[in-house]
Amino acid sequence: MSAIPYGRQDITDADVAAVEEVLRSDFLTQGPAVPRFEETIRAQTGAARAVAVNSATSALHLAYLALGLGPGDVVWTSPITFVATSNAAYYCGAEAAFIDVDPRSYNLDPTALEARLRAAREARERLPKIVTPVHFAGQSCDMVAIRRLADEFGFKVVEDASHAIGATYRGAAVGACVHSDIAVFSFHPVKIVTSGEGGVATTNDGRLADTMELLRSHGIVRNHNDQASEGAWHYDQRALGFNYRLTDICAALGASQLQRIDGYIAGRHAVRARYDAAFDGSLVTIPWQDPAGRSALHLYPVRVPADRRRRVFDTLRANEILANLHYIPVYRQPWYRERGFEQDLCPQAERYYAEAISLPMFPTLNEQDQRRVIEVTLAALDAGA
Ligand SMILES: *Cc1c(COP(=O)(O)O)cnc(C)c1O
């Protein structure tokens, strides 16, 4: 028996061929594969623009900068996310604050958001410049409610869609930016589709896209009018940008993988359906599927009674089933504690965290391995009953 990871990438001969083609070409970076990858993302999401960078973390940083985030500003987001979502606010000299999650979806709760916005306005406290809903486990947040609040309170919306490539919400692809300013995807190997490392920001706002493109490569502009007068060697650095470029090697892998996105999502739903059926009537709380959209099912986070969670988790690990936990509420991290965040800031996030386990979820999880996961989970739950 070999170990069963919680997520696993799927690399085909076509992926290898696509990467090899780049390796044998003239451009390992800054060549044609990056715009081709961006075109694939535009086709997948329906967004007007897609800006590829070397990680979702970089994409979040550039998205926040393009929206003008800076010192004195605050980003509000969910605590049930990877630390990068809020860290990127601090990269800009701004701060983060955390809004509690909905107890069913574990996504940022629009009711809690609204209450906090009204209280802040009442008390003449700082309102957020940006709110970043995180589509946890691949399921879209309630973007209609968040958009309504954005219009009333005047904040920008960045979707952290790192889990959600291939998901839909109210008939549109996540990343179409129907209800947001910018959406950000991750192509790290644990995610649904991978480019090795990589991230993309999508938007329908050409100026935001132009700014992100400028900042991903040192703030340098090459093709401009001065070139004729100064000479063909000339370039202008107009902003303090970064080297956040994606390589052509990575872009070719990402574009090749994206051709199989529909099959990947269908495969994840097949795995979900088998889990859902097996856990029916047990102490396992399965993840809720919001009828407003179709989850990309990056994760399969279940809940079990808090007093048995540790035993179930340890038993899975002892059986070489590499369950995981998404996530420790971000404000609990030592770096955030040092900045004054309280340990039990968000009650729903705490309740979820006390009970959560992410079971293996990837499209190539075979039925035999999945049965093992189910049997070990149920046996460990019952053992102390
Ligand atoms: C993975 C992830 C990120 C960071 O993605 P990278 O591409 O590794 O930088 C950000 N937010 C969420 C919710 C993630 O899951």
Side-chain angles (χ1 to χ4, degrees), residues 55-57 81-82 84-85 134 160 162-163 186 188 191 198 327:
S55 72
T57 305
T81 186
F82 185 56
T85 316
V134 180
D160 186 338
S162 292
H163 298 181
S186 171
H188 183 278
K191 307 297 162 75
Y327 291 92

Side-chain angles (χ1 to χ4, degrees), residues 64 67-78 89 94-99 108-110 112-122 124-133 146-158 181:
Y64 291 170
L67 290 167
L69 191 77
D73 293 331
V74 60
V75 174
W76 288 10
T77 188
S78 161
E95 292 175 1
F98 298 96
I99 306 296
L108 190 145
D109 181 355
L113 175 63
E114 179 165 3
R116 184 83 167 269
L117 286 163
R118 296 207 184 286
R121 191 160 67 184
E122 190 79 10
R124 296 178 179 279
E125 282 168 7
R126 191 165 48 153
L127 289 169
K129 180 145 197 166
I130 298 171
V131 171
T132 305
I146 292 166
R147 178 74 257 158
R148 185 175 55 74
L149 293 169
D151 292 339
E152 181 180 347
F153 288 88
F155 56 80
K156 304 292 184 187
V157 179
V158 174
D181 297 282

Side-chain angles (χ1 to χ4, degrees), residues 221-232 234-236 238:
V221 178
R222 277 185 185 278
N223 303 314
H224 59 88
N225 296 335
D226 295 349
Q227 213 155 28
S229 55
E230 298 264 349
H234 193 82
Y235 60 85
D236 276 350
R238 296 190 180 170

Side-chain angles (χ1 to χ4, degrees), residues 5-8 104-106 135-139 163 190 192 265 267-289 295-304 312-313 316 321-327 352 355-363 365 370 373-374 377-378 381:
Y6 84 86
R8 175 185 278 156
R104 267 205 307 190
S105 66
Y106 321 133
H135 303 317
F136 179 67
Q139 177 156 274
H163 298 181
V190 300
I192 288 176
I265 305 295
R268 287 172 180 275
H269 277 270
V271 171
R272 173 193 61 79
R274 291 199 292 268
Y275 274 139
D276 286 359
F279 293 136
D280 190 35
S282 79
L283 285 172
V284 176
T285 303
I286 62 174
W288 178 66
Q289 300 298 308
S295 175
L297 284 169
H298 166 52
L299 302 171
Y300 190 82
V302 298
R303 295 171 77 155
V304 299
V312 174
F313 195 95
L316 286 163
I321 295 165
L322 305 182
N324 213 320
L325 206 164
H326 300 87
Y327 291 92
Y352 164 76
E355 300 180 349
I357 301 175
S358 297
L359 294 180
M361 167 52 87
F362 49 95
L365 178 63
Q370 192 177 358
V373 176
I374 292 162
T377 304
L378 291 175
L381 258 177

Side-chain angles (χ1 to χ4, degrees), residues 144-211:
V144 167
I146 292 166
R147 178 74 257 158
R148 185 175 55 74
L149 293 169
D151 292 339
E152 181 180 347
F153 288 88
F155 56 80
K156 304 292 184 187
V157 179
V158 174
E159 299 172 74
D160 186 338
S162 292
H163 298 181
I165 190 84
T168 60
Y169 173 72
R170 291 184 186 255
V174 168
C177 297
V178 177
H179 312 280
S180 70
D181 297 282
I182 299 173
V184 165
F185 295 103
S186 171
F187 298 97
H188 183 278
V190 300
K191 307 297 162 75
I192 288 176
V193 161
T194 189
S195 60
E197 294 273 9
V200 170
T202 58
T203 182
N204 295 316
D205 184 325
R207 277 179 325 179
L208 292 175
D210 290 346
T211 302

